[in-house]
Amino acid sequence: MDQTPLPFEFLQSRTFDVKGVDTVYISSKHTSWTKRQATLMLTACASGELRCLPILIFHGNENRESKARKIERKRYHPGVHVLFNSTAYSNESVTLEWVKRDLCQNGGLIQEEKLVVLDVFRGQMTSEVLNTMKEMHVIPVFIPDGCTGYIQPMDTTINKLVKDKIGEILDTTLEQLENNPEVPDSIGERRILITHAVAEAWIWLHQFRVESIKKAFKHTGISLLPDGSEDNQLAVRGLNINPLNVGPWEWEIDPDEAIEFVEESVLVSGSVATTTHPPTHTHSDRQVSSRISISGLCN
């Protein structure tokens, strides 16, 4: 799972102008909208299945549903969960709702153990969030700062695919509506359009880019088989070693100590640590992984 900012207006990254000019101007229908953003929360599964709906967080009062917002909410796409708060960003309450509703209930994984890859973000690492994850059989893995662009599947591949598609859908829709006087040009209407664009992009991803989702998890090592037979699929950006020899992964270890190490690793990852270290006579992290069911993501 990952959060990514979503602008209200997708300006083109390329335009034409006279060669050598100091300033290139880009046309924007609403200058204030270039700074207005929402937060898009996406949860992808290593299997490529669509199990969790996108979450959009808009700026607004989270404790009061005005009459206008209730009317507006009825026009949101049903394939997106929409939340409001004062910062238009995720926090502890958003994370708790995501764990209980989107990850476990809607994902159909209430009783299964689930390995979830997350950024190091305070709102996802509070005691209440970690305790709730434990109750819901969620095993969190926190990626250290500076590493998400290398080993977080959402950052390496999935976010860009979705955001590019959202921009494409919005451009097409807005072009069709540009000369339609019956459609008011307001923040509320733009929120409605964004929910539909996000839902369509998410469905498109799971219909036409399933292999891209699977490869993102394989390339970052998240869903590789524990026996090492898929290590050749590891393709971390910037790690130009081919073939990459990760193993061997089999050592003779004392069973009692192996169990002790597994329990210690789960405890550490269930707090806020991002890495663990095995006992003095090293044995495989992959052996630990093989003892933790990740069937919720990799079946």
Side-chain angles (χ1 to χ4, degrees):
M1 184 272 279
D2 193 28
Q3 301 94 1
T4 182
L6 193 68
F8 266 49
E9 188 163 16
F10 282 74
L11 298 178
Q12 296 294 325
S13 59
R14 296 184 180 185
T15 188
F16 295 94
D17 210 325
V18 178
K19 185 176 180 179
V21 297
D22 295 329
T23 304
V24 177
Y25 294 95
I26 299 177
S27 176
S28 172
K29 196 170 184 180
H30 295 277
T31 55
S32 62
W33 286 12
T34 60
K35 297 181 180 180
R36 183 182 287 268
Q37 292 187 336
T39 293
L40 177 61
M41 286 180 61
L42 299 174
T43 305
C45 297
S47 63
E49 296 176 78
L50 199 169
R51 290 184 172 178
C52 299
L53 299 181
I55 299 175
L56 271 170
I57 309 171
F58 291 122
H59 185 274
N61 192 324
E62 60 188 302
N63 299 316
R64 183 176 61 87
E65 282 279 310
S66 65
K67 184 178 179 180
R69 185 187 292 179
K70 290 179 181 178
I71 295 173
E72 179 184 315
R73 192 179 284 276
K74 291 179 180 179
R75 296 175 58 199
Y76 293 160
H77 195 287
V80 176
H81 292 308
V82 176
L83 305 174
F84 287 85
N85 65 35
S86 59
T87 61
Y89 197 65
S90 183
N91 53 33
E92 182 187 58
S93 64
V94 171
T95 305
L96 286 170
E97 185 170 350
W98 166 75
V99 172
K100 295 175 183 177
R101 179 190 63 190
D102 300 273
L103 180 61
C104 296
Q105 187 174 3
N106 290 348
L109 306 172
I110 297 178
Q111 296 302 322
E112 294 183 52
E113 286 186 329
K114 299 159 284 293
L115 181 69
V116 180
V117 180
L118 303 167
D119 296 353
V120 177
F121 162 56
R122 184 177 299 176
Q124 298 171 169
M125 303 172 70
T126 66
S127 297
E128 187 173 357
V129 167
L130 294 175
N131 288 334
T132 301
M133 287 184 175
K134 184 176 181 181
E135 292 170 4
M136 306 296 286
H137 309 288
V138 176
I139 302 169
V141 176
F142 295 101
I143 297 179
D145 287 336
C147 297
T148 57
Y150 300 92
I151 55 175
Q152 163 62 288
M154 306 302 295
D155 282 332
T156 61
T157 304
I158 298 171
N159 285 347
K160 186 178 188 308
L161 285 173
V162 175
K163 291 180 74 172
D164 285 351
K165 190 63 178 178
I166 291 171
E168 178 186 320
I169 294 170
L170 282 176
D171 282 345
T172 302
T173 305
L174 290 171
E175 186 176 345
Q176 294 171 349
L177 297 176
E178 190 172 4
N179 298 317
N180 187 347
E182 296 181 3
V183 179
D185 193 13
S186 65
I187 290 293
E189 287 295 327
R190 183 55 60 94
R191 283 194 292 257
I192 293 167
L193 286 178
I194 289 176
T195 67
H196 285 261
V198 167
E200 291 175 28
W202 195 236
I203 293 170
W204 167 85
L205 178 76
H206 289 84
Q207 286 182 341
F208 302 105
R209 292 292 186 270
V210 172
E211 288 305 312
S212 297
I213 299 173
K214 293 180 180 179
K215 286 180 181 179
F217 281 88
K218 295 288 186 183
H219 289 173
T220 53
I222 303 300
S223 62
L224 296 179
L225 290 176
D227 62 9
S229 62
E230 295 181 334
D231 284 353
N232 63 311
Q233 297 185 46
L234 187 64
V236 178
R237 180 169 61 87
L239 191 61
N240 299 318
I241 304 175
N242 188 24
L244 184 62
N245 183 15
V246 184
W249 296 104
E250 295 180 359
W251 278 270
E252 295 250 347
I253 59 173
D254 182 83
D256 293 331
E257 187 168 356
I259 294 172
E260 180 182 353
F261 177 49
V262 169
E263 292 176 347
E264 178 187 354
S265 299
V266 173
L267 176 62
V268 172
S269 67
S271 58
V272 295
T274 57
T275 58
T276 57
H277 301 281
T280 52
H281 63 284
T282 305
H283 56 274
S284 166
D285 284 344
R286 195 180 293 269
Q287 287 175 309
V288 175
S289 300
S290 67
R291 293 173 177 268
I292 300 175
S293 169
I294 57 174
S295 59
L297 291 178
C298 301
N299 278 346

